[in-house]
Amino acid sequence: SGAISTTARGHLGTFLVHSDRAALWRLSGLGTLLAAMPLPYSRRYEGLATGLRSAFEEAGAPFAITFMRGAGARTAALLEGKVDLVVLSRFAADQLIAEHPVELVADLGPATYVGAHGMLVRRGV
């Protein structure tokens, strides 16, 4: 199929010289990867979505993004097999990992997801 090229090196075995990741992905039959992200309400989220799409395209994997409000909705979609990966806050990811057999594949570091959260309450409440 032309997805890979190898060369025989005698007693050293056969070596992979070239691989076409897009062709390998197509042959795998896995289809398009679907990611669920928060609603893109900031340039940071827009940049993350653009970066993810570029990275997967460069890797030869078909990729699409859906935007869902709420970590709970994104988590449910992942656990139900509706999406292949989700973007969550570290807090939500840690809770998900503690309760289900899922794996954290990328930690974006401190303060890379959102600047900060706060809670406002009315006086006397």
Side-chain angles (χ1 to χ4, degrees), residues 2-93:
I4 63 168
S5 299
T6 60
T7 184
R9 300 230 176 126
H11 70 281
L12 296 175
T14 301
F15 285 70
L16 179 66
V17 228
H18 168 76
S19 65
D20 179 339
R21 287 190 258 178
L24 287 169
W25 189 270
R26 199 172 42 257
L27 291 169
S28 75
L30 292 173
T32 300
L33 286 171
L34 181 60
M37 287 189 60
L39 300 175
Y41 63 83
S42 73
R43 290 272 190 213
R44 186 171 282 179
Y45 290 128
E46 291 172 8
L48 180 56
T50 301
L52 283 171
R53 181 162 182 93
S54 297
F56 278 96
E57 283 180 358
E58 187 177 309
F63 183 72
I65 299 172
T66 185
F67 297 98
M68 301 174 128
R69 183 171 172 253
R74 292 189 302 280
T75 296
L78 179 69
L79 295 174
E80 292 167 8
K82 294 179 181 176
V83 298
D84 301 299
L85 61 109
V86 294
V87 175
L88 300 169
S89 68
R90 185 57 195 253
F91 177 75

